[in-house]
């Protein structure tokens, strides 16, 4: 009797484990399927979402109007140093946001939330924005949806294209944390100093995720 009970318990445990594994597998397959549909829909929507930016840049033949190559490279060196070579996501630092990921968050989500939203953001950036939008259009979209012009008017009282080099760098250094690193604050001045050293080749960056350029502190 005791052996029969033990066998019954073992069978029940094995059955429960199999059921749990089957459920987990089905759930995983459902998530994969859902995200695949999301990417497919994003690919359909991408041409229309980027139409304005493609027109501004002559479908990638030109840089965004009002910006020199030097300023664009400064912007990318700070926000997405691997921009010209990756396909939308910098896999050396998957938790950091590239230009394509930042644009995806603004254009493809009505109410972005972390978790699965981050997974979807990454997939759309890699498989929709990266292959279907020109690099110049991505930059134009990043500047637009990132609110750089409105921030320029707020902090300097003039359009982004009219900033001098020091003002432009201060705005780039502010990034998404505008209030904490707003132009004129000590935090902004310190980050500008580090960025200047980094751009001059006097210090190195510890990968894309090193937003504060720790090796440039001294």
């Amino acid at each position: 009797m005791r052996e029969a009970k033990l066998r019954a318990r073992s069978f029940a445990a094995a059955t429960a484990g199999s059921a749990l594994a089957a459920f987990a597998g089905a759930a995983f397959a459902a998530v994969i399927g859902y995200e695949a549909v999301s990417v497919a829909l994003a690919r359909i929507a991408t041409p229309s979402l980027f139409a304005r930016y493609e027109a501004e840049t002559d479908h990638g033949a030109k840089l965004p109007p009002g910006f020199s190559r030097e300023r664009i490279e400064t912007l990318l060196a700070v926000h997405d140093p691997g921009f010209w070579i990756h396909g939308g996501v910098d896999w050396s630092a998957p938790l950091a946001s590239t230009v394509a990921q930042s644009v995806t968050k603004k254009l493809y989500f009505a109410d972005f939330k972390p978790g699965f939203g981050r997974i979807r953001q990454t997939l759309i950036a890699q498989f929709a924005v990266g292959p279907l939008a020109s690099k110049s259009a991505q930059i134009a979209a990043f500047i637009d949806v990132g609110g750089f012009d409105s921030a320029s008017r707020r902090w300097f009282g003039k359009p982004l294209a009219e900033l001098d080099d020091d003002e432009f760098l201060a705005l780039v250094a502010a990034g998404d944390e505008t209030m904490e690193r707003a132009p004129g604050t000590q935090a902004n001045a310190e980050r500008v100093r580090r960025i200047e050293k980094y751009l001059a080749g006097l210090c190195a960056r510890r990968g894309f995720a090193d937003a504060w350029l720790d090796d440039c502190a001294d």
Side-chain angles (χ1 to χ4, degrees), residues 46 69 120 123 152 155 157 162-165 173 188 193:
T46 296
R69 167 68 67 173
R120 191 172 308 121
L123 293 174
S152 174
W155 297 110
E162 295 181 9
L163 297 182
D164 63 31
D165 290 342
N188 183 270
R193 188 182 69 82

Side-chain angles (χ1 to χ4, degrees), residues 76-156:
L76 294 176
V78 175
H79 289 284
D80 189 355
F83 175 77
W84 296 111
I85 58 175
H86 66 62
V89 177
D90 188 333
W91 295 107
S92 68
L95 297 181
S97 289
T98 62
V99 163
Q101 286 170 293
S102 297
V103 170
T104 295
K105 183 177 180 179
K106 299 290 186 178
L107 293 183
Y108 295 82
F109 291 82
D111 183 22
F112 179 85
K113 288 181 172 43
F116 284 118
R118 177 67 178 181
I119 296 173
R120 191 172 308 121
Q121 175 196 27
T122 299
L123 293 174
I124 291 173
Q126 181 68 31
F127 297 109
V129 176
L132 299 179
S134 70
K135 288 289 189 178
S136 289
Q138 291 178 44
I139 296 171
F142 178 70
I143 292 170
D144 179 36
V145 302
F148 283 91
D149 189 67
S150 61
S152 174
R153 295 173 187 273
R154 176 182 182 183
W155 297 110
F156 300 105

Side-chain angles (χ1 to χ4, degrees), residues 50-65 133-141:
F50 280 85
R52 167 188 167 190
Y53 308 115
E54 294 289 5
E56 288 179 1
T57 59
D58 194 15
H59 297 278
K62 303 175 182 177
L63 292 174
S134 70
K135 288 289 189 178
S136 289
Q138 291 178 44
I139 296 171

Side-chain angles (χ1 to χ4, degrees), residues 76-79 81 191 198 203-211 213 215:
L76 294 176
V78 175
H79 289 284
R191 192 161 190 245
Y198 169 61
C203 55
R205 187 171 191 162
R206 299 177 184 175
F208 181 21
D210 180 23
L213 303 170
D215 285 346

